[in-house]
């Protein structure tokens, strides 16, 4: 038995959330899902280590949760939408996590976004028909 | 008879919801983005749709990864928003229309789209942000009724742009056959280019976004020919949400009028596109 490989595995810096990842990250994501309930958030905040054990995370996953190592959590099967529910406890937004994936500051990450979109209004004018206010 | 009077598209990221919650619409970062919705809101005020079908993906509120339906249709008389884990107060309930939902379910399943029917369905930001964007000047009690149509864009394998387009055609057939006089809009949500995860996080591809918008309007067969791998490579892993716009497109005629077209980037991590399309004769 083996997990099938996919063409999307070749996209660099990208962890497509498929059956293989969801299977390996199931306990981790299940714990994150429990944070939709405020009582569970309080229980987790009071003793994160114990809460991770209760949900059956692996030692590596538990350590990464406690240390807020989101690239590792992604590589260990965390789904980004579920990791966002964990990031809250480290005072992090999805943009902070994006910066952490690159190993840069959030301001630097926001600058990348601005650079990627720079000149878009000129492109809209070339394209025609867009709302310009 | 029921009639689809228009198709809308919008992004649905939580940052937009937070901005509305914090009343940041006039802040420099947000103003151009929000102003671009005003013509659509005026149009909606004029045409007064009775019901909106909102095509979106759930991000871990109603569906956990234990059960992931590819297509799930709300079949209830009301839908609840709830805490998604970051403690933002839940929005008011949105009215549904169970009779129409079950009519759509019967029609689609007859058409061999084996959708999941949901008599209880919590709706997350993917549904609420679009409703708020288009109707936030009104209390939720005065919003049109809505039917959530959730598409799995979270856990692969995902459906395709083509399948979404065909589902839209099936949706159109169902609405056209519904005997009650009712004006319906179909809202395709999500996208455009963004990747939240991994070392490649931060992708925004303006050229691809504008190409998608143009082809969705003028040549949807271009979109239906794209593989999910290709879309993810160009638009990012979360940019794949654009396939949900194709449900909206499939529900309209082959030829459409463009009443409004708006693009802004970045909004948080995302390229954000707005369309208002109606059937051309």
């Amino acid at each position: 038995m083996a997990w099938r490989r996919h063409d999307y595995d070749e996209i660099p810096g990208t962890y497509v959330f498929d059956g293989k990842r969801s299977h390996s990250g199931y306990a981790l994501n299940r714990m994150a899902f429990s944070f939709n309930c405020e009582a569970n958030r309080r229980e987790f905040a009071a003793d994160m280590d114990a809460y991770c054990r209760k949900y059956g995370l692996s030692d590596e996953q538990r350590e990464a949760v406690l240390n807020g190592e989101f690239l590792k959590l992604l590589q260990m099967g965390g789904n980004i939408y579920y990791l966002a529910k964990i990031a809250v406890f480290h005072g992090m937004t999805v943009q902070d996590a994006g910066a952490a994936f690159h190993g840069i500051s959030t301001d630097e990450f926001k600058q990348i976004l601005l650079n990627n979109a720079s000149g878009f209004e000129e492109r809209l004018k070339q394209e025609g028909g867009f709302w310009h206010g | 008879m029921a009639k689809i009077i228009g198709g809308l598209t919008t992004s649905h990221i939580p940052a937009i919801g937070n901005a509305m919650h914090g009343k940041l619409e006039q802040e420099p970062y947000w103003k151009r983005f929000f102003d671009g919705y005003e013509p659509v809101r005026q149009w909606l005020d004029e045409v007064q749709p009775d019901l909106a079908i909102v095509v979106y993906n759930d991000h871990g509120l109603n569906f956990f990864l234990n059960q992931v339906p590819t297509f799930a249709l709300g079949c209830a008389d009301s839908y609840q928003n709830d805490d998604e884990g970051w403690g933002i107060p839940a929005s008011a309930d949105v009215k549904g229309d169970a009779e129409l939902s079950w009519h759509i379910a019967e029609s689609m399943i007859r058409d061999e789209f084996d959708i999941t029917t949901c008599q209880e369905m919590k709706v997350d930001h993917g549904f609420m942000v679009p409703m708020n964007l288009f109707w936030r000047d009104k209390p939720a009690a005065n919003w049109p009724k809505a039917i959530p149509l959730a598409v799995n864009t979270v856990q692969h394998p995902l459906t395709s742009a083509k399948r979404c387009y065909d589902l839209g055609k099936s949706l159109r057939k169902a609405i056209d056959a519904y005997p009650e006089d009712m004006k319906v809009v179909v809202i395709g949500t999500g996208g455009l280019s963004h990747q939240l995860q991994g070392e490649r996080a931060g992708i925004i591809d303006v050229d691809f976004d504008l190409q998608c918008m143009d082809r969705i309007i003028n040549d949807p067969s271009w979109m239906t020919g794209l593989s999910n791998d290709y879309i993810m490579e160009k638009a990012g892993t979360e940019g794949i949400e654009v396939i949900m716009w194709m449900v909206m497109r499939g529900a309209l005629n082959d030829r459409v009028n463009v009443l409004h077209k708006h693009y802004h980037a970045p909004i948080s991590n995302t390229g954000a596109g707005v369309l208002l399309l109606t059937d051309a004769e």
Side-chain angles (χ1 to χ4, degrees):
Chain A
M1 294 292 284
W3 292 102
R4 260 200 62 194
R5 285 199 62 74
H6 301 88
D7 290 344
Y8 56 64
D9 294 327
E10 308 304 322
I11 305 174
T14 298
Y15 307 85
V16 173
F17 190 72
D18 59 7
K20 179 184 175 184
R21 292 193 188 285
S22 194
H23 181 75
S24 68
Y26 192 73
L28 171 66
N29 292 316
R30 188 166 162 271
M31 180 181 83
F33 181 67
S34 78
F35 297 153
N36 286 359
C37 172
E38 196 190 347
N40 292 334
R41 295 202 291 271
R42 279 202 301 270
E43 185 184 334
F44 175 70
D47 189 343
M48 294 190 182
D49 190 89
Y51 199 88
C52 287
R53 288 175 196 276
K54 178 172 149 181
Y55 273 83
L57 272 62
S58 70
D59 291 344
E60 293 80 12
Q61 287 171 336
R62 190 180 70 251
E63 279 164 28
V65 167
L66 299 181
N67 297 329
E69 295 171 299
F70 286 95
L71 187 57
K72 275 192 189 166
L73 289 173
L74 197 59
Q75 290 162 342
M76 291 187 287
N79 172 275
I80 189 65
Y81 300 121
Y82 292 87
L83 294 184
K85 299 176 198 281
I86 298 175
V88 175
F89 293 92
H90 293 279
M92 287 169 74
T93 66
V94 166
Q95 285 199 313
D96 298 323
F101 294 141
H102 287 269
I104 58 178
S105 73
T106 302
D107 282 342
E108 288 169 325
F109 181 67
K110 286 180 176 172
Q111 191 58 48
I112 290 178
L113 291 159
L114 286 169
N115 294 346
N116 286 345
S118 73
F120 83 88
E121 289 190 78
E122 284 309 307
R123 283 284 292 111
L124 298 185
K125 283 179 184 137
Q126 287 166 15
E127 200 84 7
F130 278 87
W131 177 91
H132 287 291
Chain B
M1 298 294 280
K3 183 174 165 43
I4 293 178
I5 60 166
L8 317 179
T9 68
T10 178
S11 294
H12 64 216
I13 56 171
I16 300 170
N18 294 342
M20 290 186 284
H21 187 67
K23 305 212 179 304
L24 304 178
E25 289 96 327
Q26 295 304 310
E27 297 286 316
Y29 183 86
W30 289 102
K31 184 170 168 42
R32 188 181 180 282
F33 168 76
F34 279 109
D35 283 354
Y37 283 79
E38 290 309 307
V40 184
R41 279 149 53 89
Q42 279 169 23
W43 181 83
L44 289 166
D45 255 352
E46 284 161 26
V47 300
Q48 294 285 326
D50 301 296
L51 185 135
I53 292 167
V54 183
V55 187
Y56 75 108
N57 61 295
D58 181 274
H59 308 72
L61 178 65
N62 190 71
F63 297 113
F64 177 56
L65 304 170
N66 58 340
Q67 292 165 355
V68 181
T70 294
F71 296 115
L73 186 73
C75 295
D77 280 324
S78 77
Y79 301 98
Q80 289 76 42
N81 181 226
D82 208 345
D83 191 339
E84 293 183 51
W86 40 80
I88 293 175
S91 311
D93 294 357
V94 177
K95 292 189 296 287
D97 186 329
E99 293 95 327
L100 176 55
S101 288
W102 283 107
H103 165 82
I104 293 169
E106 286 174 17
S107 181
M108 280 183 171
I109 288 175
R110 208 181 304 126
D111 264 355
E112 301 182 344
F113 286 95
D114 302 319
I115 56 168
T116 300
T117 50
C118 303
Q119 296 205 75
E120 289 186 46
M121 197 169 182
K122 288 183 183 173
V123 285
D124 77 354
H125 66 266
F127 174 98
M128 291 308 302
V129 165
M131 291 301 289
N132 271 298
L133 273 166
F134 292 125
W135 288 285
R136 67 185 181 281
D137 55 331
K138 297 177 175 60
N142 296 345
W143 288 2
K145 292 190 281 189
I147 296 178
L149 174 52
V151 179
N152 166 37
T153 60
V154 172
Q155 179 179 270
H156 292 248
L158 309 185
T159 190
S160 65
K162 174 168 192 308
R163 187 77 175 151
C164 286
Y165 183 64
D166 292 344
L167 184 80
K169 290 192 173 299
S170 178
L171 175 63
R172 168 64 174 268
K173 194 166 133 191
I175 302 285
D176 281 350
Y178 193 61
E180 189 179 331
D181 279 337
M182 191 181 267
K183 290 177 284 187
V184 176
V185 291
V186 180
I187 308 178
T189 78
L192 289 168
S193 58
H194 62 306
Q195 176 154 331
L196 303 177
Q197 54 120 324
E199 295 91 332
R200 214 172 73 116
I203 284 177
I204 289 182
D205 189 325
V206 173
D207 285 336
F208 184 73
D209 287 350
L210 300 188
Q211 190 176 23
C212 282
M213 290 178 80
D214 176 61
R215 298 299 182 102
I216 286 170
I217 294 164
N218 296 309
D219 180 17
S221 68
W222 178 82
M223 278 296 291
T224 57
L226 298 186
S227 70
N228 288 350
D229 286 3
Y230 180 81
I231 297 172
M232 287 194 291
E233 193 163 356
K234 297 291 285 182
T237 42
E238 284 65 50
I240 193 69
E241 290 172 350
V242 71
I243 66 173
M244 295 187 290
W245 290 29
M246 295 301 285
V247 178
M248 175 286 293
R249 187 61 186 89
L252 298 179
N253 283 354
D254 289 346
R255 291 186 56 247
V256 290
N257 305 310
V258 183
L259 270 53
H260 183 66
K261 191 165 70 157
H262 173 46
Y263 181 82
H264 192 85
I267 280 300
S268 187
N269 289 12
T270 302
V274 182
L275 291 175
L276 167 54
L277 308 179
T278 59
D279 279 345
E281 296 309 320

